[in-house]
Amino acid sequence: MAKSNVELVIRARNEASRALRTISDAIKDVIGDQRELADQAGSTESRLSELGRELGELNSNFKQLRNASRLASDLSRAEQALRKQTEATMGAQREVNELAYAYERTENPTKRMTNQLAAADRRLTRARDKTEELRNRVATLAQEYDASRAARSEE
């Protein structure tokens, strides 16, 4: 009986040792998993930080593109207005030329003809001034647009 008690104790001790080894191995696996998770969490944090930086860069690029698009649109409208104004100035010049020609060919120009010629000349002056103003605006917008494109290409 003493022998069977000893065997029982040894068997119990062996089973307890196996259970402890299994628990110890499970704890080691949990610790390893936790280390892996900690590494991944750090990696995820750095990835999120990197994504945040990239998102900021994308936002900046989007704003620059939107500004360039706005400048291109403004430049296009200004060029169109300049073309129309140039045509109007040329029309005013033709009118002044026709009135001046008629005025010179008349022996006794009437006051009405004199007033018409003076009014046409004032319209021509205003048209030329407006044309020059639009040329300056187009030049300014073209410089801004070129500067915007150059800034984008440097990045």
Side-chain angles (χ1 to χ4, degrees):
M1 178 148 151
K3 186 177 180 182
S4 75
N5 281 343
V6 171
E7 287 177 5
L8 284 174
V9 170
I10 291 173
R11 195 179 311 155
R13 192 178 74 192
N14 287 342
E15 286 180 26
S17 293
R18 262 186 266 140
L20 284 175
R21 257 186 260 119
T22 303
I23 291 172
S24 178
D25 289 345
I27 290 173
K28 286 178 186 175
D29 288 344
V30 168
I31 290 171
D33 289 346
Q34 285 180 338
R35 284 188 184 135
E36 242 180 80
L37 283 174
D39 290 344
Q40 288 176 357
S43 176
T44 300
E45 185 177 320
S46 68
R47 286 182 198 155
L48 286 175
S49 177
E50 184 179 326
L51 284 173
R53 277 191 306 277
E54 288 178 8
L55 182 59
E57 288 177 26
L58 284 174
N59 189 33
S60 175
N61 290 342
F62 176 71
K63 286 179 181 178
Q64 288 178 352
L65 285 173
R66 190 173 37 182
N67 287 340
S69 174
R70 181 188 50 80
L71 284 171
S73 178
D74 289 350
L75 180 58
S76 177
R77 283 193 301 268
E79 287 173 337
Q80 185 178 11
L82 177 59
R83 280 191 295 278
K84 287 180 182 180
Q85 185 59 42
T86 300
E87 289 173 11
T89 301
M90 289 169 48
Q93 182 65 56
R94 280 190 299 275
E95 180 185 6
V96 167
N97 290 346
E98 290 169 3
L99 287 171
Y101 182 76
Y103 188 84
E104 290 173 6
R105 298 285 180 236
T106 304
E107 280 186 33
N108 294 321
T110 64
K111 188 173 185 173
R112 179 174 181 229
M113 286 179 78
T114 304
N115 289 342
Q116 284 178 332
L117 181 58
D121 193 44
R122 285 191 301 274
R123 284 192 298 276
L124 176 59
T125 300
R126 284 193 304 273
R128 284 179 178 162
D129 290 346
K130 181 68 175 175
T131 301
E132 186 60 29
E133 197 177 294
L134 285 170
R135 276 193 186 114
N136 291 337
R137 177 72 178 139
V138 166
T140 300
L141 285 172
Q143 287 175 345
E144 289 176 12
Y145 180 73
D146 290 343
S148 173
R149 287 178 49 108
R152 271 197 349 255
S153 68
E154 289 175 4
E155 292 178 356

